[in-house]
Amino acid sequence: LQNRGLRVWIDQEAEGNLAEDEMKQGIRESKCYVLFLSKTVFDGAVIMELETARQEEKPILVVHESDPNRPGFANFSAYIDAAPASAKHLFKEKESMPFQRRRYLAEAFYKELIERIRAAR
């Protein structure tokens, strides 16, 4: 994706054909890593992605599912409990942004997310 000069790599665009090397390369080429918290986020490749982001000293931005009617929703304490020890510090250091789908909220959400990505160091 291209947005106002901001390149975004989304591993979900690989249509389920995720290769570890490609995922790591995408993280290496990115300015920062966006961790989207959902009920099962720490059950898969995200652990490897987080480790890669940490090794590459990439800033990590945190976004969480905010709609309790969505299957991926969990109480925030469940995200913290499920996180690997190497990622628990994120919950003390970062403010998680609630993901917004409604059009009137989504525009502001994406604007803020883009600003946080641009400001990431």
Side-chain angles (χ1 to χ4, degrees):
L1 295 172
Q2 295 283 343
N3 185 336
R4 299 180 195 152
L6 185 66
R7 180 181 177 272
V8 179
W9 181 80
I10 302 172
D11 64 10
Q12 298 302 313
E13 290 179 347
E15 298 177 11
N17 300 319
L18 300 177
E20 187 172 314
D21 289 341
E22 289 175 343
M23 293 166 70
K24 287 181 177 181
Q25 187 62 33
I27 293 166
R28 284 186 197 104
E29 294 175 0
S30 297
K31 181 173 181 176
C32 67
Y33 178 75
V34 177
L35 173 62
F36 189 103
L37 299 173
S38 66
K39 190 183 297 186
T40 59
V41 68
F42 297 114
D43 292 349
V46 168
I47 304 282
M48 177 274 301
E49 292 177 345
L50 275 170
E51 183 59 23
T52 301
R54 190 187 64 73
Q55 289 172 352
E56 296 291 324
E57 299 180 353
K58 298 293 181 177
I60 299 172
L61 302 177
V62 183
V63 175
H64 64 276
E65 176 58 68
S66 62
D67 184 347
N69 297 314
R70 295 283 177 163
F73 177 84
N75 290 323
F76 212 80
S77 61
Y79 302 137
I80 297 169
D81 292 343
S86 62
K88 291 202 184 279
H89 70 281
L90 293 173
F91 299 100
K92 294 178 183 174
E93 297 171 3
K94 306 288 181 182
E95 175 190 15
S96 180
M97 292 179 58
F99 182 71
Q100 301 295 332
R101 288 179 180 83
R102 293 185 186 267
R103 180 173 234 162
Y104 71 96
L105 296 172
E107 186 175 325
F109 168 80
Y110 285 114
K111 181 179 178 186
E112 177 63 19
L113 182 61
I114 288 167
E115 289 305 313
R116 288 185 186 196
I117 291 170
R118 286 196 173 125
R121 301 179 210 279

